């Protein structure tokens, strides 16, 4: 817990924000002080609710002068605790959600940081364009939070993470200065790219107040297939073929284990598999093309050849949008389907695609060593090398006994990830949950450099001081 | 000119590098001490030629301890003087050009920084993959230099600049520590992304020794078209349509002025225009698809509709690879065709695509004000908002008189670029040529932050001290 914020600072903040620009009402604050899965709870003396970039700057200047810490919070959908204050001033941009501009020649949308992702997707759609970042919490997750955590989700395979969508940023730096970097250029080589530092900084290098984001054309054809196969190695071979066959048009390539499919069918209503037979693994793939019929044709060619070569066991191509949704539900319900099975060790990791089979093999053995009989429900964005490595308790084991082994299991998984040159946080960030493990596993030279950068830009360490290094 | 390097330091460097690992031979040094257009000449007491990352680290450690400056140089193809030493130790990685690995499942090539771009393109091709960065100097330009300047070239429209290709870096930081960040992950959210800082840092934040770069599938069909139209506004409307029609398959969209075409036909042998008639502007576009025939079909649809709507005046689609090359020659010979016309003011700028017409209009008026009768030979990667805004002297004006107005003209162009939220260096970097202008035009808050980062990572300012801020 940090030291209490002096009343004089609170008074200055209230004056700068004006009536309606702040709250200390426990009911108003309550939903912002608990992580949505209730893993972290926090406190704050004041919720700042600015409506302009200048007000954000005033808040940061006041806090910087007084050495008072700030926790910026977006839609409070984070999974690693980075958004929950422990006595810091809580800063929310929920009243800054304007779409400032959209230009179809620049293929750019300029939006304030408090806007929810879904509003950007909708604005793009209304203009005949596509914004490709998509994830389960898109109705709530804010643009500022998504940039600050470099969000992933579906669509990364073709379009990249949030980082790849950012053309420019407006931000308040830790000294309270407004940086207008709201460029909308595809090329700009005039020194270090400051925006790249703010992306994924989890609020430690400033407060993002607005962003210029890329837009894309809407595709004319789309195909979704569900494939049964024997091994993860077969899946990555199919992935390589699919990338070649679709020429970069592959939008999703998701791996699901047989256990994951079994749990979905058991625990979620109205789910059924599109193919019969016994398959140790399944792949859900989606591809899109600007050419009418081309997506379907590419998938048909890919699957016919893969069946002929015995690379896959069976496959179904969705014949309607409803069927495509039903295929996707099998993937999207993976987490929900685990819930009735008791506590689950969860790991959001990435390894090089070629090393996914080795990771699954080694991690599986390690998990059995930690707890004999564990049930591995791995799934994820395998096209990105990103596995959600979820592990359920051994049948019959008390839930508390499984939960008690969580940290030991995580350490074993992360050690294997590190040996395979992977990442212990593919898309969720470090927050306060994984910072220590990252510190243990990252090269010392890198941590030293990142700490020097942070100290240079925020010498008082006022910005989200408990997260990262 | 910096202070002379002490003999004791030179002795330490020679010992660390061993026989053949350094040179002070004037003949060996000569080609590295002059910029290829002879705009900058330099001096160095020693050329370091390491063969391993450890040797690079030893050089940096020795220099850091003694406060001696280093200028890293790639293929010496830079255009802004950043690679020419003025008394610094000159560091070349020309003996570090191994391709360390290539993996078709990871779609990654891991290569040492001294490797020329062409060798990476070739290795990718041999493995059935494509590396998309391509530029005129690709036989000489090194991977380390291309990353350090975030090189552009053709292909940016679809694949992005060099930055977008870098998955991981190995580098020696200014304190002489080796940072192994050679990851090959598509997702990794574990703190600030240090590699993003080293990209485009022009050698000021360390020495890149190796990189992991993305590979892509080879396309099955390709179409090249040459289009005559009336205005830049028509060109950007055609661009928007082309992006939609090809669904991201558009690989190049280049604008050329009528004067530029006239000069090519006059000054370069064997050039002829694919279409007749009078056109104030021309567009060269290329699109590719993984679907056989799809690229050609998309271009035919695009052009037929644009003709019908009177958006364009005339168009030709290349019917063979030879014809496609002939079309491209008209674009690639733009610079060469200017040479016989005398000195040329050159500006490598970018503005938002939607503001290209406004830029051309305002810059044209400004240039006429600086020198009545100037001839504007603008061309460039208009799909990226990048214009090579080249200006030839008024007919009959003495070459020296035109050259004398270069700086005034540049300042006027850059002011207009700044007013339009553009970049004064789209793809060439700042080096020593444009640093002062960037300093004048960049937001003060940004320059302050960039300087703080540099001082934090290189407190002795030993890495390429004269470039950037």
């Amino acid at each position: 817990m940090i030291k209490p914020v002096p009343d004089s600072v609170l008074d200055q903040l209230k004056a700068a924000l004006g009536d309606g620009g702040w709250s200390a009402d426990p009911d108003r604050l309550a939903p912002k002080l608990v992580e949505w899965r209730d893993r972290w709870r926090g406190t704050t003396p004041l919720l700042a609710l600015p409506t302009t970039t200048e007000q954000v700057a005033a808040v940061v200047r006041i806090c910087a002068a007084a050495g008072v810490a700030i926790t910026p919070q977006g839609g409070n959908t984070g999974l690693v605790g980075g958004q929950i204050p422990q006595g810091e001033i809580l800063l929310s941009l929920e009243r800054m959600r304007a779409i400032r501009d959209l230009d179809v020649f620049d293929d750019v949308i300029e939006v304030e940081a408090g806007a929810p992702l879904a509003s950007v997707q909708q604005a793009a759609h209304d203009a005949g364009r596509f914004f490709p970042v998509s994830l389960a919490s898109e109705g709530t997750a804010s643009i500022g939070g998504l940039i600050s955590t470099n969000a992933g989700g579906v669509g990364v395979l073709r379009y990249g993470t949030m980082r790849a969508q950012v053309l420019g940023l407006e931000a308040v730096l830790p000294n309270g200065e407004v940086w207008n970097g709201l460029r909308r250029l595809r090329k700009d080589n005039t020194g270090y790219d400051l925006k790249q530092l703010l992306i994924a900084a989890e609020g430690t290098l400033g407060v993002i107040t607005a962003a210029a984001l890329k837009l894309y054309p809407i595709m004319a054809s789309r195909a979704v297939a569900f494939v049964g196969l024997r091994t993860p190695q077969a899946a990555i071979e199919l992935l390589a073929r699919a990338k070649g066959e679709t020429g970069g048009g592959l939008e999703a390539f998701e791996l699901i284990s047989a256990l994951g499919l079994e749990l979905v069918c058991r625990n979620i209503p109205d789910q059924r598999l599109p193919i019969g037979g016994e398959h140790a693994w399944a792949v859900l793939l989606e591809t899109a093309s600007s050419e009418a019929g081309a997506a379907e044709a590419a998938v048909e060619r890919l699957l016919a050849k893969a069946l002929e070569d015995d690379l896959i066991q069976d496959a179904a191509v969705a014949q309607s949008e409803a069927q495509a949704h039903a295929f996707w539900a099998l993937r999207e319900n993976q987490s929900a389907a685990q819930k009735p099975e008791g506590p689950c060790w969860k790991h959001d990791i990435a390894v090089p695609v070629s090393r996914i089979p080795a990771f699954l093999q080694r991690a599986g053995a390690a998990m059995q060593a930690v707890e004999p009989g564990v049930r591995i429900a791995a799934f994820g964005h395998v096209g990105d090398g990103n596995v959600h490595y979820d592990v359920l308790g051994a049948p019959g084991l008390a839930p508390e006994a499984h939960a008690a082994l969580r940290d030991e299991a995580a350490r074993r998984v992360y050690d294997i990830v590190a040996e395979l040159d992977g990442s212990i946080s593919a898309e969720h960030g470090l927050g306060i949950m994984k910072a220590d493990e990252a510190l243990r596993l990252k090269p010392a030279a890198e941590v030293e450099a990142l700490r020097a950068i942070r100290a240079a830009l925020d010498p008082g360490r006022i910005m989200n001081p408990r997260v990262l290094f």
Side-chain angles (χ1 to χ4, degrees), chain A:
Chain A
M1 177 68 83
I2 62 162
K3 66 178 185 218
V5 178
D7 285 343
S8 61
V9 174
L10 296 177
D11 290 343
Q12 286 179 65
L13 291 171
K14 292 172 186 175
L17 291 161
D19 280 352
W22 58 274
S23 177
D25 172 1
D27 291 342
R28 178 83 168 81
L29 266 57
K32 295 189 188 293
L33 294 176
V34 56
E35 189 252 9
W36 62 281
R37 296 167 310 177
D38 204 10
R39 290 190 63 174
W40 291 275
R41 290 177 165 262
T43 64
T44 184
L46 187 93
L47 168 64
L49 294 162
T51 52
T52 66
T53 301
E54 255 320 306
Q55 282 188 343
V56 176
V59 168
V60 176
R61 276 197 305 271
I62 291 165
C63 290
V68 163
I70 300 167
T71 296
Q73 185 182 94
N76 193 14
T77 61
L79 291 156
V80 288
Q83 76 277 27
I84 305 297
Q86 301 297 338
E88 294 91 356
I89 299 295
L90 183 59
L91 175 61
S92 169
L93 271 57
E94 66 175 45
R95 298 203 299 164
M96 291 178 62
R97 49 174 72 202
I99 290 170
R100 291 187 186 167
D101 191 26
L102 188 155
D103 190 295
V104 295
F105 293 114
D106 295 334
D107 270 338
V108 161
I109 185 168
E110 201 179 296
V111 61
E112 290 183 341
L117 173 53
S119 74
V120 171
Q121 295 167 338
Q122 186 63 47
H125 183 81
D126 292 346
R129 295 294 185 275
F130 175 63
F131 185 73
V133 175
S134 173
L135 34 73
S137 60
E138 61 199 24
T140 316
S142 73
I143 291 300
L146 293 160
I147 295 172
S148 294
T149 55
N150 185 23
V154 296
V156 173
L157 186 58
R158 178 168 193 165
Y159 297 99
T161 63
M162 198 69 188
R163 183 184 299 279
Q165 317 316 326
V166 178
L167 288 172
L169 290 180
E170 177 191 271
V172 175
L173 300 177
N175 59 7
E177 286 193 62
V178 176
W179 171 50
N180 183 352
L182 264 186
R183 295 164 199 141
R184 51 176 70 184
L185 303 171
R186 309 284 164 159
K187 284 180 173 175
D188 178 23
N189 280 343
T190 55
Y192 321 149
D193 193 348
L194 185 57
K195 70 173 180 289
Q196 301 292 350
L197 259 187
L198 286 162
I199 298 167
E202 303 191 21
T204 63
L205 298 180
V207 182
I208 293 166
T209 52
L213 304 171
K214 286 185 200 165
L215 299 177
Y216 297 83
I218 294 173
M219 294 294 142
S221 65
R222 188 168 289 278
V224 175
F226 189 93
V227 182
L229 33 68
R230 297 178 191 89
T231 62
Q233 182 64 36
I236 70 169
E237 287 178 23
L238 182 67
L239 170 65
R241 291 184 180 201
K243 288 202 277 189
E245 197 66 72
T246 64
L250 193 62
E251 301 214 334
F253 195 93
E254 307 279 317
L255 187 67
I256 317 172
S257 69
L259 174 62
L261 294 174
E262 184 191 319
L263 295 180
V264 167
C265 293
R266 184 196 306 162
N267 296 333
I268 308 285
D270 305 322
Q271 304 289 311
R272 51 183 292 277
L273 302 188
I275 53 174
E278 294 280 313
H279 313 290
W281 295 90
V283 161
L284 176 72
L285 68 86
E286 176 159 354
T287 181
S289 169
S290 57
E291 197 80 12
E296 299 87 333
V299 165
E300 294 288 354
R301 279 198 310 270
L302 170 74
L303 297 177
K305 184 76 168 59
L307 276 169
E308 184 188 316
D309 295 345
D310 198 31
L311 180 63
I312 63 176
Q313 294 173 292
D314 198 0
V317 179
Q319 298 302 312
S320 66
E321 211 164 311
Q323 239 178 32
H325 277 124
F327 287 15
W328 265 106
L330 297 167
R331 162 65 183 81
E332 283 164 352
N333 280 312
Q334 285 296 303
S335 286
Q338 293 166 2
K339 288 231 170 92
E341 305 287 323
C344 184
W345 307 332
K346 287 178 182 277
H347 316 90
D348 166 43
I349 65 96
V351 294
V353 170
S354 65
R355 297 174 198 166
I356 286 174
F359 167 76
L360 291 171
Q361 192 273 321
R362 290 170 64 176
M367 295 302 95
Q368 291 299 337
V370 172
E371 179 189 309
V374 286
R375 292 169 296 157
I376 313 288
F379 65 97
H381 318 293
V382 155
D384 313 316
N386 182 190
V387 178
H388 295 301
Y389 193 69
D390 292 357
V391 184
L392 291 159
L397 189 73
E400 311 76 49
H402 184 64
L405 293 166
R406 185 192 305 272
D407 289 349
E408 187 189 339
R411 181 165 283 239
R412 299 285 282 271
V413 169
Y414 296 155
D415 280 341
I416 293 165
V417 165
E419 286 161 26
L420 294 171
D421 297 322
S423 169
I424 67 165
S425 190
E427 52 181 21
H428 297 166
L430 297 178
I432 55 174
M433 179 181 167
K434 289 186 176 179
D436 287 347
E437 282 294 274
L439 202 54
R440 182 171 74 86
L441 295 168
K442 265 198 187 273
E446 183 176 345
V447 172
E448 192 186 342
L450 300 186
R451 284 180 163 164
I453 292 164
R454 182 172 188 171
L457 295 182
D458 183 13
R461 201 177 171 101
I462 64 159
M463 295 305 309
N464 223 5
R466 290 169 301 96
V467 315
L468 297 182
F469 312 119

